[in-house]
Amino acid sequence: MALRVLIVEDEPEMAALLRRGLEAEGYVVDTAPEGVHAMTLANDRPYDIAVLDVMLPGMSGFEICRWLRRQDEALAILLLTARDAVDDRVKGLDAGADDYLTKPFEFVELAARLRALRRRDAIGGARVDVGTLQIDVAQHSVRTDGRELRLSRTEFDLLRLLAINTERVVPRSEILDSIWGSTAHVDPNTVDQYVSYLRKKLDASSTTARIVTSRGVGFQLIAPPRI
Ligand code: CA
């Protein structure tokens, strides 16, 4: 299920560049050159992510941000600011933005920020499918072949984190940081412990999805096709 991104950017070259880059990353992308067009698009269809330029003709990115936030609590919003002014940052966060990026920026940086936003609860309503596993974040449930997999809160968070990052090995430090918030007071072995609980439950179910250990690095969820 591809995530939908709305880009609001008045410079055509920049808009085209962002569209091409994000489409290559697997997103479904719409662009609007100004606020009214953006509002029309957002009224028509739900988006998962909005990327808003602050400096626009007509409505500013802040105003669009405020409007979008009122419509949709769960939308992830990233602002593109032209200046590194603290002012803009504060204004952006006040307007309900989740993150901001100062122009000029490298596309890889934008892509990384969007991946980080995906990892957060901001896109909490999404369902993640990996092989036969259906992970419903809003319902906090996991099913495979119609059967519910009973997971603890931590096991669920761990599975979700691995499920939205199936293309790579997720390092232990990132798991610690993302689930326990801080690495300060948690024994790194805790991760291995929870991986082992979760692995047992996956192995006991009908799914082909399993967790692979990358020695010294971290863990990756893979879903080999059923033979
Ligand atoms: Ca602009």
Side-chain angles (χ1 to χ4, degrees):
M1 214 175 31
L3 292 176
R4 309 185 60 92
V5 184
L6 173 62
I7 297 170
V8 189
E9 166 64 78
D10 57 318
E11 293 153 55
E13 272 176 34
M14 183 68 163
L17 188 110
L18 293 179
R19 174 197 280 278
R20 275 199 305 275
L22 291 176
E23 281 175 350
E25 295 260 321
Y27 295 99
V28 174
V29 181
D30 287 323
T31 61
E34 46 76 41
V36 175
H37 189 164
M39 287 161 72
T40 310
L41 286 175
N43 260 334
D44 262 14
R45 67 208 84 172
Y47 289 96
D48 301 292
I49 300 171
V51 177
L52 312 175
D53 188 24
V54 167
M55 304 284 281
L56 293 166
M59 290 172 79
S60 75
F62 298 125
E63 289 174 281
I64 301 168
C65 180
R66 219 169 279 122
W67 184 87
L68 285 170
R69 179 54 78 223
R70 273 203 305 272
Q71 313 299 310
D72 187 354
E73 271 298 315
L75 179 70
I77 304 177
L78 183 124
L79 287 179
L80 304 178
T81 89
R83 296 148 293 174
D84 198 10
V86 177
D87 231 34
D88 272 9
R89 241 175 290 169
V90 173
K91 255 169 114 177
L93 297 179
D94 279 352
D98 296 294
D99 200 0
Y100 73 96
L101 202 54
T102 307
K103 283 180 167 181
F105 55 83
E106 298 285 333
F107 179 79
V108 289
E109 177 64 18
L110 174 72
R113 297 291 188 92
L114 294 189
R115 278 197 295 274
L117 284 177
R118 282 173 59 181
R119 281 197 285 277
R120 288 172 32 182
D121 276 340
I123 312 175
R127 207 183 79 177
V128 190
D129 291 356
V130 177
T132 58
L133 282 182
Q134 301 176 330
I135 303 163
D136 188 322
V137 178
Q139 299 292 320
H140 217 271
S141 77
V142 183
R143 301 178 80 80
T144 174
D145 298 315
R147 275 207 208 104
E148 173 125 20
L149 208 60
R150 300 186 67 84
L151 300 182
S152 74
R153 168 82 204 193
T154 303
E155 290 162 355
F156 181 86
D157 289 345
L158 175 61
L159 179 63
R160 186 186 60 162
L161 178 66
L162 294 175
I164 56 181
N165 291 290
T166 50
E167 77 286 357
R168 66 187 178 98
V169 175
V170 184
R172 267 187 191 75
S173 57
E174 186 178 328
I175 296 174
L176 274 173
D177 205 38
S178 148
I179 295 179
W180 283 274
S182 150
T183 54
H185 306 290
V186 185
D187 187 326
N189 289 326
T190 309
V191 173
D192 300 73
Q193 230 159 50
Y194 275 99
V195 166
S196 131
Y197 297 150
L198 180 57
R199 195 177 257 152
K200 276 189 194 124
K201 291 187 179 178
L202 291 178
D203 289 350
S205 80
S206 67
T207 186
T208 59
R210 55 196 173 82
I211 300 170
V212 178
T213 304
S214 178
R215 204 182 276 268
V217 184
F219 305 94
Q220 186 170 15
L221 184 67
I222 60 163
R226 198 169 259 154
I227 300 159

